[in-house]
Amino acid sequence: MADDRAPTLRAREGPRTRSGGRRPWPPAAPDWNPTERGWTVDWQRHYAYLARLLDGGARLVAIVPGVTRHGEDIGR
């Protein structure tokens, strides 16, 4: 009987090296707990977009309601 289930991801397997082996994933920060801190996926996405805008030279005072990135209102 063939096993036709989709393959599952193995959480402990890191990215492949050039030789085909696996590197371990770096450990998560001990205080990383998005649920406990209220960091919803929406919040994390806005944070990442804001960080990219600032890295690109935008000034924080210029990020006002209506400033968008990928259709998301970053200034809200």
Side-chain angles (χ1 to χ4, degrees), residues 28-56:
D31 63 344
W32 176 251
N33 188 341
T35 304
E36 182 179 292
R37 297 186 180 274
W39 298 338
T40 63
V41 171
D42 185 54
W43 182 92
Q44 293 176 59
R45 184 175 41 251
H46 278 80
Y47 178 85
Y49 290 161
L50 175 61
R52 287 186 195 130
L53 286 172
L54 296 174
D55 286 345

Side-chain angles (χ1 to χ4, degrees), residues 10-16 22-30 32:
R10 296 183 188 145
R12 297 284 179 211
E13 288 185 2
R16 289 200 178 273
R22 295 274 186 180
R23 290 186 310 227
W25 292 106
W32 176 251

